[in-house]
Amino acid sequence: MSLWLTGESSWFALPGRAAEFELPHAAPLPELIDSVLAAGRITLCTQCAARREITEKDVLEGVRIAGAQVFVQEALADDTQALVY
């Protein structure tokens, strides 16, 4: 499982930021992030991180920063099923 954070969702890669987000009738975002990290990985877009001055030392443990080349490798790997919602 792989989740990519882009645009304004980039902030959720930082400690404590997901806890500030509330969406009625939805699971708490920190729990969802923990579930994704337990089953796979979370990647923060390189350009999105740079635009917000977020570095590897700033993000949650287990979150990586990577760019388009890594995204394409993941998306085109054998047995990959992409879901964009």
Side-chain angles (χ1 to χ4, degrees):
M1 173 188 308
S2 176
L3 172 68
W4 282 70
L5 300 175
T6 62
E8 290 305 302
S9 71
S10 300
W11 297 114
F12 298 138
L14 301 177
R17 293 299 287 265
E20 298 172 6
F21 182 79
E22 286 187 39
L23 183 62
H25 312 292
L29 190 52
E31 290 179 20
L32 295 173
I33 288 174
D34 289 345
S35 294
V36 172
L37 287 172
R41 72 175 64 187
I42 295 178
T43 305
L44 173 56
C45 162
T46 301
Q47 290 181 8
C48 299
R51 289 183 186 112
R52 290 159 182 82
E53 299 181 355
I54 299 171
T55 67
E56 290 279 350
K57 67 179 182 176
D58 300 318
V59 299
L60 294 165
E61 184 176 338
V63 174
R64 69 176 177 174
I65 297 176
Q69 181 179 4
V70 174
F71 180 82
V72 170
Q73 285 175 336
E74 283 189 12
L76 298 179
D78 291 339
D79 298 325
T80 296
Q81 180 177 352
L83 173 63
V84 179
Y85 178 71

